[in-house]
Amino acid sequence: MWWRSASFILDRQQHQNRTVAPSPESFLLSSPPPMADSPLNPKSNISAYYQTRAAHHAVVTTDWLAQAQAAVGRHSDDDGSLGGDKGAARIGGGGGGEEEGSGKAFSVIDEFNSWRKQPALAEAVAAIRALAAVIRTSGAATMMELEIELKKASDSLKSWDTTSISLTAGCDLFMLYVTRTSALEYEDFNSAKSRLIERAEKFGEISCKARRIIAMLSQDFFFDGCTILVHGFSRVVLEVLKTAAENKKHFRVLCTEGRPDRTGLRFSNELAKLDVPVKLLIDSAVAYTMDEVDVVLFGADGVVESGGIINMMGTFQIALVAHSMNKPVYVAAESYKFARHYPLDQKDMSPARRPIDFGVPIPSKVEVETSARDYTPPQYLTLLFTDLGVLTPSVISDELIQLYL
Amino acid sequence: MDPRRTARTVSDPKVRQVGFFTPAPPERSVSDPPRFQDPIQPPSPSPTQVNDHSPSGNSLSPVMIPPAHHHSDNFLRTALQATSPTKAFSYSAKTVTIPPENEDVASSFSPGRKVVSAKSPSSFPGVKASSVPASELTTVSVVNLPPGISEKAGGASVEVQNDRPVSAKTLKEKTSKAERRALQEAQRAAKAAAKAEGTKASSAASKVVTSANTKPSKAAKSSSQKNDGSQVAASEKKGGDRAPEKDRKKDAPHPRMQYDDKSRVEKAKKRAVVKQTEARNRVELFRHLPQYEHGTQLPDLETKFFELDPMHPAVYKVGLQYLSGDIRGGNARCIAMFQAFKEAIKDYSTPPEKTLIRDLTARISSYVSFLIECRPLSISMGNAIKFLKNRIAKLPLALSESEAKSTLMLDIDRFINEKIILSEKVIVKHAVTKIRDGDVLLTYGASSVVEMILLHAHELGKHFHVVVVDSRPKLEGQLLLRRLVRKGLSCTYTHVNAVSCIMQDVTRVFLGASSVLSNGTVYSRVGTACVAMVAHAFHVPVLVCCEAYKFHERVQLDSICFNELGNPDAISKVQGRKEINYLDGLVNQENLQLLNLIYDATPSDYVSMIITDYGMIPPTSVPVIVREYRRDHLWS
C-alpha cells in the first residue's frame, strides 16, 4: 500500500494510471508488486535457512518436501535459467574464482552446503568452515590477495542465502578476524594462513562452548516449580533446559506447536526424553495459558543492533502477551548471532519465505502470508543470555560497536 | 519510537508552568509572613528586608511558584520531614532539652541554645546565633541543619546581604541550573560578607550556603523582590573586589555563561567587541540565556571593520555572517569557522618572545570569544574547537613555525573532510537502506544530511513521497522544499501545526540534529521534539541523522538550561502581512514576554534510531560512540 489515507488518493490514482498499462492485473490486485508473485509461485523465495532447519529437525510436511526438492533442484541444476538472484550470484562467485584460480573447481557454496548438513553445526560455524576451506584451497601468495578472495567468497555466500542472519554474521565475523590478523606481524604468509585455518576450526568448538556457557549462566533464572514457555526449536534453549534438568530443578515446560513446521512437537519430544513435564499448546493458546507461565524463553535466529531479536514467526506476539502480563522474557543466543542489522519494523527485513501446509487446497486468489520469522523489539525483552554474559537489550549495540569498529 | 525506557518521567509539569506565570501582587509575599502561627517561627526579619529592597529589584514578577503554604506551614513541614537530628534540634530549640542521640548537633549548637533559653523560647534560635563566637559556629555539622534554621542563622549573622541570597536560592528551586546559580550567588555573597564582616560571619555564611545546597526542596519563601534585590546587592558587592581576579584569567566568555548573573555580564561586556544591546522583557525561565536586540549591532560592527586590530578579517567576516544569519546550520557554521581559522593560521606569525603553541591557542580563544558574541556556539563547533586546540597543544616543539602552520591547516582540512563531508556520505549510505518503495518520509526543517539522503534515494530510483514540515519564523523548510521539488521529488509541504494530521500517512520520520547528547537526547531545531513525539504516538519510526562529531558527552534533561534565544520580533511580527499587526506597540510592554527559542531537546524515548558515521545505533549507545570517538580521533 502506498498511500493509506484519503489525502493521497489522488496521487495513488495518478500512480495507478501510470502503471496500469504494463501490468493490468496489478491494478486489480491490492497487494504491492513484490508480494504479488511470491505466494503463487512457491518455487521462488523459499528460505534456504528454513530448509536446513526443517532438514535438521526432521520436520516433514508433504508440501514442504515437494517444494524443498523443487527448490534444491533449482539450485543444483538449472542455474540462472530462472534469472533468480541466487543463481546469478552463484555464477558470479564461482565463475570469478575459476577465472583467476586457474582451473580450481571449488565452490564455497557447495562446501557450505556440505557443512550445513550436520545437524549439530550452527549455520555460522558452517559458513566459517566453508571460508576456511577457501583459505586452504586458495593459491593466494599475499595476505591482501587472500583477503580479496575471501571477501568474494563471503559475499557470494551471503548473497546465496540472504535470509540467514547468522550466516551473514558468521561471514562478517570471520572477515573481521582475517582483516585484523593481516595487521598483525607474522613471520611469513604461510604461518598466518595456518593460523587463520586453525582459528576457523576452533570456531566450531567455540560455538558448542558458547551453548554450555549460556546454559550455565541461565540456571539462576529458573527456580524450582517454575513454568517455562518456549517457542520454536532452539538448540540453545534445549541445552539450557537440559542443564536445568540435570541440575535437578523441577520445572514444567509449555511448548507451542510452532506451525507450520511444527518445531514445537519436535522440541516437546526432546524434552519428554529428559523426563521434563511438557505440555503442548497450539500457537493461538498462548494468551490463554500466559497466567500460569513464570518465564518465557526464546532462542533467536539473530540478535540485531537495537537489542531486539529476529526469530521464528510468533515470537513477537508471545512477547507482547508476556509483556502485557508482566512476565519476564528471556532470550538465549550465542554471540555469533549478533548482527549489524537494525530493523525498524516487521517489514524492514529481507523476508524469509516458507511454504505453509494448510491441509486443504487454498484457492489461488487467496493470499498466504509465508514469512517465516518476525522481529521482536527490545522493549519486550527482559534479558539476553549470551556467552558474553547476561545482557540487557541495550548492551547488544555496545558489544556490536566494540566488535565491529 | 524506542520505548525501551517506557517508564520515563517527562519533567514535572510544575516546572514547565513556572516560566509562564501570572504576576503575583507584590504585597502578597510581604503580607504573608505576619500570618505565622507557629511559636517556633521567629517574628521574621524578612518582611522588613523585603520592604527595604523592593525598590531596588525591578517590578518583574517572580518565577517562583506562588507559595501555597505560608512560612509557618512550610517550616513545620520541612522540620518534621527532616532527619531526626534536625527534628530533634528544632524541638530542642523550643524545649531546651537535648535528646542524647544528637549529641554532636546539640553540643555544637549549645551556645545558640543557651542564648535561646536565656532569652525567649518563642524567638528562633538561629536568629541569636550571630552572637555566637565564630569558633563554635564552625563546628556545626551543617548537613543536619534544617533549612529554615540555617537560613535564619545565616540571615542573622551575616545580616542583610546574606539572608537574601539564600532566599533567592529558593526561587527557582525546581531547576537545577537555577540552583547552581543560586549557590554561586550565595557563595559570592558569602565572600563579600566575609570581607565586610570578618571571618566570623563568613564561616556562618558558607555554612548557610552548604546547608542550603543540601536541602534543595526548601520551601518557596521568598518573593521576587527579594530575589532581584539580592542579585543586585550581590553584584554590587563583588563588583569592586572581584574584578582584578577576574581579569587575570581573561578569556573568552564561558560558552555557558549565565546571563542573569549581572556582574559577569558586565565583565563580559567590557571586553566584548560586539556591542549587543540587551532586550528588555525576557521570559523569566530563560533569563540565564543571552537575549539581544537584533539588527542594532551589525552596522556598528561593519564600521569597525578596519579598526579591529586583533581580529583576523576572515574570522570577522564569518562572525558577521553568523550575526546576520547568512550562515546557518551546524555543518555550514562549523566549516565556515574552520575555513576562517585556517586563513588566520595562514597569516599568523608568532610574536617575538612567545611560543607558537601558547600564543596561537590564546589567539584562537579570542577569535572564539568573538564568534560567541556574534552568536552562541553550537555544540558541534565546540567539539571542533576542542579538536583544533588539542591539535595545537599536541604540536611537537621542534617544529618550525611554517611546518606547524601547515600541519594545523592540514588537520583542519582533514577534520572537514573526514568528520563532516565523508561522514555525511556514510550516513546517506546507511539511511537509504531504510527507505523502501512506497514510503512516505517526513522531515522537519532543513537538514543538510536529510536533504542529501532524500536526493540520493531519489537518484537510486526509489519511489517515495516526502512531507516537509516547517515552522515559523525561519521557514527553512521552504528552502529544502525548493531544492527537492526541483529535483523532481513528490513533496507535501505543511506547517508543524498540521503534523498530527499528516502523521498517519507517514512511514518514516527523518530528522537532523544539532547535537546528540550522551543520554540519547537529541538537541535540534525547536519543534523537532514535537514532531518526534507525534511520530512516536503514531508508531512511526523516528530516524535521527547526525554526524559523530556532533555528539557530546553532556547530559541534558530539558531544553531550558542550555539553549539559544532568537529575535523575539521574529515571532511577534509577520513579514509582509501588514494587516496582522496585533502586537504593534505592545512589544515593550512590561507584562508581555516574547520567547523565541532556537533549539529543543528530544528525549531519547522518542528516537528509534540514530544514523551516524559509525552505522545505525540505538540512542542508548551514544555514550559508546562518544567514548570511542574521543579516544580514536579527537584526542589522538
Side-chain angles (χ1 to χ4, degrees), chain A residues 1-5 7-8 11 305-306 340 342-345 347-348 378-379 393-394 397-398 401-402 405, chain B residues 3-4 434 436 438 440 463 465 504-508 541 543 608-609 614 616-618 620-621 624 627:
Chain A
M1 284 303 216
W2 279 47
W3 325 106
R4 280 182 291 168
S5 81
S7 65
F8 293 109
D11 302 68
E305 192 144 14
S306 60
R340 292 216 81 184
Y342 200 137
L344 286 168
D345 51 37
K347 306 288 162 6
D348 195 13
Q379 63 263 32
S394 57
S397 167
D398 302 4
I401 289 170
Q402 269 157 12
L405 290 185
Chain B
R4 74 184 65 199
K434 291 292 162 202
R436 295 172 300 192
V440 180
H463 297 282
H465 187 84
Q504 57 181 332
D505 304 317
V506 174
T507 56
R508 297 271 189 276
L543 296 89
S608 320
M609 176 196 282
Y614 292 97
M616 296 177 277
I617 58 163
T620 48
S621 290
V624 184
R627 202 168 59 223

Side-chain angles (χ1 to χ4, degrees), chain B residues 288-304:
Chain B
H288 58 285
L289 301 171
Q291 166 102 69
Y292 298 124
E293 300 281 4
H294 284 249
T296 54
Q297 64 290 72
L298 199 54
D300 177 43
L301 266 182
E302 274 166 354
T303 55
K304 274 201 276 184

